[in-house]
Amino acid sequence: MNWPKTTEIGKFLAKERFYAQNTLTGALKQALVDDVEKITISNRLARDTLNVDAGTEFPEILVLKIKLKHKKINEKLLDALDKTICAGYVLFVLEYADKQCASIAHKTINSKDSSTIDKRWTTEWTDGLNLELHGTTLDKIYNGFIEQVSGGRVKTEGVGLQNAVDRDIERTKLEKQISDLEQKLRTTVQLNKKFEIKDQIRKIEAKVKELS
């Protein structure tokens, strides 16, 4: 990342720090052991490390770099780790061999010690991951990260982040319905039933287009 040196931390986080957290089930604790080699706080984006205004919900964005033992992404584990950090947004940078990808979630704070993951986005693996810092406030930088990591699925301009996230959540549900109907179509024999399913798919695709 081509970010200011003032944001760099490079602090190692022991995996044991997360074991006592109630956000991790037994299976996720095992995944932390089996899948994760090392966790580092690589950057801290905040008012005192960047020339930007503070965020309205969280005072900082922590960038956690996770070196993986396998080239697989466990988003449930990322969600659980994310929820252990209630004081700020979290951007994950995952590394395996010479490849990197980024993952970020829209997180709603419930209380001082509790938050909810509404939706997570993860990029494809790439040789050179680079996310730009867009905006003069921490909120806008966070919005920009979500727009970049989501691959353009989330567009906040004119609608705001929450509305944009809600639209993508609904879009994802509709895309799942289309996938299920296409699977049903492949196994349907009766011609009239095929026409009915195709009509349902067309109507849902029109809704998806409106949300895109």
Side-chain angles (χ1 to χ4, degrees):
M1 303 291 188
N2 189 25
W3 297 345
K5 292 284 186 181
T6 52
T7 68
E8 294 179 2
I9 301 292
K11 180 182 177 181
F12 170 73
L13 277 182
K15 290 188 284 185
E16 288 76 12
R17 176 189 184 280
F18 300 99
Y19 293 160
Q21 302 293 328
N22 58 14
T23 60
L24 267 69
T25 62
L28 290 178
K29 289 178 182 178
Q30 191 60 49
L32 186 58
V33 173
D34 295 341
D35 301 340
V36 175
E37 183 174 326
K38 184 171 70 172
I39 303 176
T40 306
I41 303 176
S42 64
N43 300 79
R44 176 177 169 269
L45 309 180
R47 186 174 184 176
D48 60 336
T49 64
L50 288 170
N51 186 26
V52 297
D53 292 331
T56 55
E57 287 194 61
F58 297 111
E60 62 186 13
I61 302 172
L62 290 180
V63 182
L64 296 191
K65 187 174 288 185
I66 299 182
K67 189 174 182 180
L68 297 172
K69 296 178 181 179
H70 318 282
K71 192 179 178 182
K72 68 175 184 178
I73 302 166
N74 187 334
E75 291 195 343
K76 289 183 179 180
L77 177 59
L78 297 183
D79 285 350
L81 296 178
D82 204 327
K83 287 192 286 186
T84 67
I85 303 172
C86 296
Y89 304 122
V90 181
L91 170 68
F92 291 102
V93 174
L94 309 176
E95 293 185 335
Y96 178 75
D98 59 346
K99 302 291 184 181
Q100 287 185 324
C101 69
S103 184
I104 196 168
H106 181 260
K107 183 163 67 172
T108 300
I109 190 165
N110 302 321
S111 66
K112 182 180 178 181
D113 300 315
S114 173
S115 62
T116 301
I117 303 297
D118 302 313
K119 170 80 174 175
R120 175 168 299 283
W121 302 268
T122 303
T123 68
E124 298 293 331
W125 290 98
T126 180
D127 293 326
L129 182 66
N130 186 36
L131 298 177
E132 300 292 336
L133 301 177
H134 295 312
T136 57
T137 69
L138 202 66
D139 289 339
K140 288 182 179 178
I141 290 173
Y142 175 64
N143 292 3
F145 281 163
I146 289 182
E147 290 180 348
Q148 292 173 77
V149 175
S150 72
R153 287 180 64 96
V154 177
K155 300 172 184 176
T156 63
E157 187 175 357
V159 298
L161 179 60
Q162 185 63 63
N163 285 335
V165 170
D166 289 343
R167 288 169 68 91
D168 192 46
I169 290 173
E170 179 62 23
R171 178 181 170 185
T172 300
K173 290 178 181 177
L174 293 174
E175 288 170 341
K176 176 63 166 59
Q177 291 178 24
I178 291 172
S179 178
D180 291 344
L181 285 170
E182 288 175 339
Q183 176 64 31
K184 185 177 179 181
L185 182 63
R186 286 191 288 269
T187 59
T188 298
V189 177
Q190 294 182 13
L191 191 59
N192 61 327
K193 290 291 184 182
K194 283 182 176 288
F195 284 131
E196 289 178 9
I197 295 171
K198 287 180 179 179
D199 187 53
Q200 290 176 359
I201 292 174
R202 279 194 294 270
K203 289 178 180 178
I204 297 174
E205 285 176 338
K207 293 179 181 179
V208 169
K209 188 175 182 180
E210 291 176 1
L211 294 170
S212 300

